[in-house]
Amino acid sequence: MKKETIKIPTSIKYLTERDKFIEEFGKTFDLPNGILNKEIPGCGATTVALTDEHKTIICSPRNELLKNKHEQYPNTLIVIGGVNSKEIENYLQTTALPKILVSYDSVHKLIDCIKDKSNWRVVVDEFQCLLADSSFKSEIELHFLNNSRSFPYVTFLSATPILDKYLEQIEHFKDMNYYQLDWENKEIIRVYRERSNSPINAALEIIRYYQNGNYPSVYVNGERIYSKECVVFLNSVNNIVNIIKQTELKPEEVNIIVGNSEDNDKQIAKIGAGFTRGRIPLKGETHKTFTFCTSTAYAGCDFYSTNAATFVISDCNRPNTAVDIATELVQIAGRQRLACNPFRKFLTFIYNVNTEEITQDEFNENLENKVNVTLDEIKENNNANKLLKAKRIKDFMRIPERIRYQDSYTMYDEEKDEFVFNRLAYVNEQYCFDVQKFNYQNGVMIKRQLQDSNFDVSENQTYAVYEEQLKHLIKKESFVDRMQAYCEYRSKQGLIVNLAMLTLEGKYPELKYYYDALGGDRIKALNYKEKQLINEMHIVETKDKVRYELRQTIHVGDRLETSVIQSVLQQTYDKFHFTKSAKATDLREFYEMHPVKIPTADGRKNGWEIRGVL
């Protein structure tokens, strides 16, 4: 694999800036024939393909991406399921400079329609999905790669780093030219990472937080700006459905961006009347408070919210979910396009780890065993007699795609009419393991990967205010933890602690109640425990009642015998069910007192002069 790095100077922000490229390089930017790692999303590479002087086919793994681009460029032709050859041929005959948007599984429709392919270019957008998706649709992608060979000029485009060891294992890529853009002017996206035993519960906390109007915020030029919208990325439509049900969101509050399928529509319909699949709003259109997205919206779609915060929920206990989100963090972070949205520079990543943990050696051994089983199975199936081979072909075709390569990498190739080794599925399994093992279970590796992708994950961040709020938003903390944190905030000063304190108060108003009534020292003495604070509050409230009652009987200037004070106190205690034996000195809690001798018929007796109230 021949590699070339192209440095993009600070003066250039987009690949579409023709004049600046001419000034710097003597020519406009041209998408290369080979692999282009554009390094950062949103730099205009797809726009180059849509606006240059070449006849172009832009291929995408996600129909929603194609629809989004077609809305922005209505003169394009979108070719997905349902579009036939006549429509394609009519577009080609009536359009001087055709630009065709096509899904991976519909490229075959173009092969026969375009007779002369020599002056056509193909751009495979978000091509990392070929690897990430190959655990459940590798046959479609292998067919797509074969179809792409029909065109002499193909650009495989991505902003997601894919390690060379994966590409070099795939025959189609190993001898390609590899171009790496190196942008001098990179925008830093800060990532708040939180490992959670239940990422879905964390998502519920986030939604409820917004529902209650407790919006996270940042300060920009001295002004406090709130995030009143949020975009939540998940991989499971089922999780989206459950979250909406549990939080009782209304249709007018929710935009659901998922793949166009009958199964997805059925699941969404279970939520209730008014809930349907949505679409990504165009620039200037209204955004709903809550947008839920599955992987259909990870790659290349653009959001234009002025204040939406982004949350990525990764539940590794579900098959094939860890790898999608881990590789798409760069893509997701780049989806918010408006510079006026201060939250576009921040990504919240909530994840767990797979409970079925195995070591690298165990994985390698399992991989080798699976390869051996595959080789034996391929040999046996291809050498079987005609009837037996036909049965095994049927058996293979009956296996659901999502589990087809669970036990082996054996694939039936219809064109060759033989069983073959599915290289994509084999590479995908290694890829999934590396992502889950190193990017999820090891926090240092997560951090390193994000840094390599131009994320700022340093502890000392500009958005520390936002991060401190999120800490309490995401975690389902114990009462002791949040009470202790609140007391620490109240004892400090500064913007960060003040906003974090307000966040806790908004979510748990009882914290302020306890602190105002008891004070930090007393709460600490009671070990921050809720039961003890409740008991203490009962005592405080009872003492307030006692204080009020005593002031109706005892006044400043009174001189009272000790026995009289004790009797009055005990009667008051009993009235309010305050289980305590009264002593005259208890009155010190309510009054400023001074000991005196009081003359009586029986002589001078000990007493107290009331000199003030407390």
Side-chain angles (χ1 to χ4, degrees):
M1 187 178 286
K2 183 182 176 183
K3 296 182 181 179
E4 179 182 339
T5 299
I6 304 170
K7 289 191 174 294
I8 309 296
T10 305
S11 60
I12 296 176
K13 292 183 179 180
Y14 300 100
L15 298 176
T16 51
E17 295 179 308
R18 300 172 64 88
D19 292 343
K20 290 184 179 179
F21 266 94
I22 292 172
E23 184 180 337
E24 292 285 347
F25 298 98
K27 61 180 180 178
T28 60
F29 181 80
D30 198 26
L31 293 174
N33 190 3
I35 297 166
L36 175 63
N37 188 333
K38 58 185 181 179
E39 187 181 49
I40 59 176
C43 63
T46 310
T47 305
V48 170
L50 286 163
T51 58
D52 65 18
E53 65 278 12
H54 303 290
K55 297 178 180 179
T56 311
I57 298 168
I58 297 100
C59 310
S60 170
R62 307 286 186 248
N63 286 351
E64 287 302 318
L65 169 58
L66 295 173
K67 292 174 186 176
N68 184 255
K69 293 299 181 187
H70 179 61
E71 286 184 319
Q72 296 178 60
Y73 297 91
N75 291 330
T76 57
L77 173 69
I78 184 168
V79 179
I80 53 178
V83 177
N84 57 43
S85 299
K86 285 187 177 180
E87 292 174 82
I88 297 170
E89 290 169 356
N90 180 62
Y91 177 78
L92 292 174
Q93 290 170 6
T94 58
T95 307
L97 184 61
K99 299 288 183 178
I100 300 176
L101 299 163
V102 61
S103 59
Y104 285 178
D105 56 352
S106 293
V107 171
H108 67 92
K109 298 178 183 180
L110 302 175
I111 302 297
D112 294 332
C113 293
I114 301 174
K115 305 304 180 185
D116 181 7
K117 301 177 178 64
S118 61
N119 59 346
W120 278 81
R121 292 191 175 188
V122 174
V123 174
V124 184
D125 201 10
E126 313 302 345
F127 89 99
Q128 76 281 352
C129 293
L130 288 169
L131 184 55
D133 293 350
S134 59
S135 63
F136 58 92
K137 59 175 184 177
S138 56
E139 289 144 71
I140 290 174
E141 293 171 345
L142 286 168
H143 286 309
F144 166 71
L145 289 176
N146 286 333
N147 287 328
S148 70
R149 294 180 193 275
S150 302
F151 295 88
Y153 199 107
V154 183
T155 304
F156 289 89
L157 185 64
S158 177
T160 302
I162 297 179
L163 299 179
D164 294 348
K165 70 175 182 178
Y166 301 118
L167 292 178
E168 289 173 351
Q169 290 185 67
I170 301 171
E171 186 71 26
H172 192 89
F173 295 112
K174 67 178 184 179
D175 295 325
M176 272 189 190
N177 291 333
Y178 187 100
Y179 301 91
Q180 171 74 51
L181 298 186
D182 181 10
W183 295 80
E184 291 182 1
N185 188 14
K186 300 182 182 77
E187 182 176 40
I188 300 300
I189 304 295
R190 296 169 177 84
V191 177
Y192 173 67
R193 305 171 319 283
E194 185 63 52
R195 179 170 168 171
S196 169
N197 290 331
S198 178
I200 303 306
N201 284 344
L204 288 169
E205 288 293 304
I206 292 165
I207 301 307
R208 288 172 179 143
Y209 192 80
Y210 275 80
Q211 281 179 304
N212 294 329
N214 296 321
Y215 306 115
S217 59
V218 294
Y219 266 90
V220 179
N221 298 326
E223 179 186 357
R224 188 177 182 184
I225 298 176
Y226 293 90
S227 168
K228 295 186 178 181
E229 299 168 5
C230 66
V231 180
V232 183
F233 286 84
L234 304 103
N235 267 350
S236 166
V237 177
N238 185 56
N239 279 338
I240 292 174
V241 169
N242 289 334
I243 288 171
I244 293 173
K245 281 184 175 180
Q246 290 186 57
T247 53
E248 298 181 344
L249 291 171
K250 299 174 183 177
E252 60 268 23
E253 298 177 296
V254 178
N255 191 7
I256 303 172
I257 310 297
V258 299
N260 181 5
S261 74
E262 186 178 344
D263 183 58
N264 285 346
D265 288 343
K266 285 180 179 178
Q267 287 199 64
I268 294 169
K270 292 177 183 177
I271 305 173
F275 287 96
T276 60
R277 276 185 298 109
R279 67 173 182 81
I280 299 170
L282 297 177
K283 189 174 183 180
E285 293 182 343
T286 302
H287 288 65
K288 293 187 178 182
T289 304
F290 302 98
T291 299
F292 294 97
C293 301
T294 57
S295 57
T296 187
Y298 285 174
C301 295
D302 300 334
F303 292 93
Y304 295 98
S305 169
T306 59
N307 63 73
T310 301
F311 300 89
V312 181
I313 312 297
S314 172
D315 187 353
C316 293
N317 293 320
R318 296 185 57 84
N320 303 320
T321 56
V323 62
D324 284 353
I325 295 177
T327 58
E328 298 300 347
L329 282 177
V330 175
Q331 287 293 338
I332 292 170
R335 291 308 101 216
Q336 291 292 345
R337 297 303 199 198
L338 292 185
C340 65
N341 179 1
F343 302 95
R344 70 187 289 270
K345 291 187 175 185
F346 203 95
L347 176 69
T348 303
F349 180 37
I350 306 167
Y351 67 99
N352 65 1
V353 293
N354 199 315
T355 54
E356 298 177 4
E357 298 180 9
I358 63 173
T359 65
Q360 182 73 55
D361 289 341
E362 289 171 329
F363 174 78
N364 290 340
E365 183 180 352
N366 292 343
L367 195 69
E368 184 179 355
N369 291 339
K370 192 168 173 179
V371 168
N372 291 333
V373 167
T374 301
L375 296 175
D376 290 342
E377 187 175 39
I378 289 171
K379 183 178 179 181
E380 185 177 319
N381 287 353
N382 286 332
N383 291 334
N385 64 56
K386 187 175 181 180
L387 290 176
L388 180 57
K389 183 177 179 180
K391 179 185 180 300
R392 289 180 175 174
I393 292 171
K394 286 182 179 178
D395 289 342
F396 174 82
M397 300 305 289
R398 288 192 189 106
I399 302 172
E401 288 185 349
R402 69 180 186 278
I403 59 170
R404 188 168 284 175
Y405 301 104
Q406 200 168 56
D407 300 318
S408 78
Y409 306 112
T410 302
M411 182 184 83
Y412 173 67
D413 188 321
E414 293 184 55
E415 292 182 3
K416 296 179 179 179
D417 188 27
E418 65 180 16
F419 287 90
V420 297
F421 191 104
N422 188 329
R423 195 79 184 171
L424 269 180
Y426 167 70
V427 175
N428 168 268
E429 190 153 350
Q430 299 172 61
Y431 183 56
C432 287
F433 177 80
D434 283 350
V435 168
Q436 293 187 22
K437 190 69 178 176
F438 299 110
N439 295 342
Y440 281 76
Q441 295 178 14
N442 189 315
V444 174
M445 291 303 293
I446 291 173
K447 199 173 191 177
R448 180 63 182 165
Q449 181 205 29
L450 296 175
Q451 286 175 332
D452 287 347
S453 302
N454 302 315
F455 287 76
D456 177 9
V457 292
S458 61
E459 297 302 322
N460 187 16
Q461 297 181 358
T462 305
Y463 273 38
V465 172
Y466 184 53
E467 181 177 331
E468 196 70 23
Q469 295 170 76
L470 291 175
K471 229 180 352 185
H472 303 296
L473 161 61
I474 296 164
K475 291 181 180 178
K476 202 165 181 72
E477 300 169 299
S478 68
F479 177 87
V480 170
D481 289 340
R482 57 180 178 259
M483 188 74 251
Q484 183 174 358
Y486 183 77
C487 289
E488 289 173 357
Y489 290 145
R490 288 289 294 259
S491 67
K492 298 175 181 177
Q493 291 183 345
L495 178 62
I496 294 175
V497 297
N498 287 343
L499 283 183
M501 181 181 72
L502 292 174
T503 298
L504 273 177
E505 284 180 2
K507 193 174 182 183
Y508 307 106
E510 66 274 15
L511 300 179
K512 183 177 188 300
Y513 172 67
Y514 288 133
Y515 191 93
D516 289 346
L518 303 177
D521 290 341
R522 184 57 184 158
I523 292 173
K524 182 179 180 180
L526 295 169
N527 297 314
Y528 307 101
K529 294 183 177 178
E530 188 171 21
K531 186 175 181 180
Q532 293 191 39
L533 295 183
I534 290 172
N535 290 337
E536 186 73 7
M537 287 301 301
H538 175 69
I539 293 171
V540 169
E541 289 168 2
T542 303
K543 285 182 177 179
D544 286 341
K545 294 175 183 177
V546 168
R547 176 179 283 105
Y548 178 80
E549 186 72 15
L550 288 174
R551 288 183 181 177
Q552 312 310 308
T553 307
I554 300 175
H555 307 92
V556 175
D558 289 349
R559 294 165 65 89
L560 304 171
E561 294 180 37
T562 299
S563 60
V564 172
I565 291 175
Q566 185 174 348
S567 175
V568 171
L569 274 172
Q570 191 63 60
Q571 290 175 28
T572 307
Y573 288 169
D574 293 344
K575 180 177 180 178
F576 296 109
H577 308 289
F578 190 19
T579 55
K580 182 177 181 180
S581 297
K583 297 184 293 184
T585 52
D586 291 349
L587 201 61
R588 290 183 183 275
E589 195 168 343
F590 309 103
Y591 292 93
E592 183 183 343
M593 303 163 40
H594 185 73
V596 295
K597 292 290 184 179
I598 298 177
T600 68
D602 298 324
R604 293 167 65 82
K605 293 191 175 181
N606 291 332
W608 299 87
E609 181 181 338
I610 310 303
R611 294 187 172 179
V613 293
L614 298 177

